[in-house]
Amino acid sequence: YLAIWCIDLEVEEKSSLVEQVSHQCVVMQYILELAKSLDRDPRETLTMFFTKIREATASEYKQAFDDELSSFRDRVRGRAQARIDAAVKEYEEEERQKRLGPGGLDPVEVFETLPDAMKECFEKKDIPMLQEVVADMDQAVASYHIKRCIDSGLWVPGGDDKETDDVVEDGEEIDMDAVNKEVDDESGLRHRYGGSKDDH
């Protein structure tokens, strides 16, 4: 119980309490070991242990105790960090699952794989620039990236606004004029990062 409590305290970054409880934990461990070696009830060895540790300032017994205490605290820190890492990983995975688009792709991951020129267009919310970039790209490469953007929800096809040229992907027209629509706008293409060009 004390060991688990130590880990809990380390996770909560309560260092002073960790120091106290970890010391108590190792003391208990030594008392139990002493009682076992003497075949006595642990309660009968309390005074014996504290007398021994007090009089053994420079002895191997005291050194062994200090080494065990240091090692125990290292293990506590390691277990606490592992617990924190697991919690962070679980949280990140939950957030990733929330982001997944209709095709099961993560828009953040998809954005990171886009060519720099396309990234710049998204960051600036510049539709004409995006149209020019796509027009200059190899058709197969452009189609690949556009499909991934749709599958991730980075773009959501639909809408009736035809004021700008459409991008052709796999034989289907995708309305680029609505790329910078808010996520909650049901018409056109939605940009998962939200906002408008005037925001930047």
Side-chain angles (χ1 to χ4, degrees):
Y1 171 78
L2 289 178
I4 295 174
W5 189 20
C6 275
I7 296 171
D8 292 340
L9 292 172
E10 183 68 28
V11 169
E12 296 168 5
E13 298 184 342
K14 297 180 178 178
S15 302
S16 59
L17 279 175
V18 171
E19 296 293 308
Q20 295 176 29
V21 177
S22 62
H23 185 273
Q24 293 172 3
C25 191
V26 175
V27 166
M28 288 296 297
Q29 176 184 325
Y30 264 67
I31 289 174
L32 291 174
E33 290 177 354
L34 180 60
K36 183 178 180 180
S37 66
L38 298 175
D39 194 22
R40 304 276 293 275
D41 187 296
R43 290 169 295 184
E44 298 175 8
T45 62
L46 290 175
T47 302
M48 187 183 303
F49 166 76
F50 286 110
T51 299
K52 189 173 183 180
I53 203 73
R54 184 172 59 251
E55 295 176 350
T57 304
S59 71
E60 292 183 0
Y61 188 79
K62 179 63 166 58
Q63 185 60 51
F65 177 88
D66 290 341
D67 290 346
E68 176 57 29
L69 179 57
S70 177
S71 178
F72 177 77
R73 287 171 175 168
D74 287 342
R75 293 195 298 272
V76 166
R77 284 190 286 268
R79 291 287 296 277
Q81 188 59 52
R83 186 187 294 181
I84 292 171
D85 292 344
V88 170
K89 184 176 181 180
E90 181 179 355
Y91 172 78
E92 290 177 344
E93 180 59 24
E94 288 176 354
E95 290 301 303
R96 180 179 178 279
Q97 290 298 323
K98 293 177 184 178
R99 292 195 304 263
L100 295 184
L105 298 183
D106 183 345
V108 174
E109 294 176 359
V110 169
F111 179 82
E112 291 302 319
T113 64
L114 293 176
D116 290 340
M118 290 186 73
K119 286 183 181 179
E120 184 178 0
C121 296
F122 275 95
E123 290 169 346
K124 293 182 176 180
K125 312 294 190 297
D126 193 325
I127 298 170
M129 180 190 295
L130 181 58
Q131 291 175 309
E132 292 177 7
V133 169
V134 171
D136 292 339
M137 293 175 66
D138 176 83
Q139 184 177 3
V141 175
S143 296
Y144 168 78
H145 287 297
I146 291 172
K147 184 176 187 305
R148 282 172 56 80
C149 286
I150 294 174
D151 288 345
S152 68
L154 193 60
W155 295 344
V156 178
D160 301 319
D161 190 349
K162 298 297 181 182
E163 293 180 0
T164 61
D165 293 336
D166 294 331
V167 173
V168 178
E169 189 270 342
D170 289 342
E172 297 182 359
E173 290 186 341
I174 302 174
D175 181 9
M176 293 302 301
D177 185 51
V179 169
N180 66 339
K181 292 289 186 181
E182 292 291 333
V183 173
D184 292 330
D185 187 343
E186 295 182 357
S187 65
L189 301 174
R190 297 183 297 179
H191 191 300
R192 283 294 296 268
Y193 292 102
S196 64
K197 187 176 180 179
D198 294 336
D199 295 332
H200 296 267

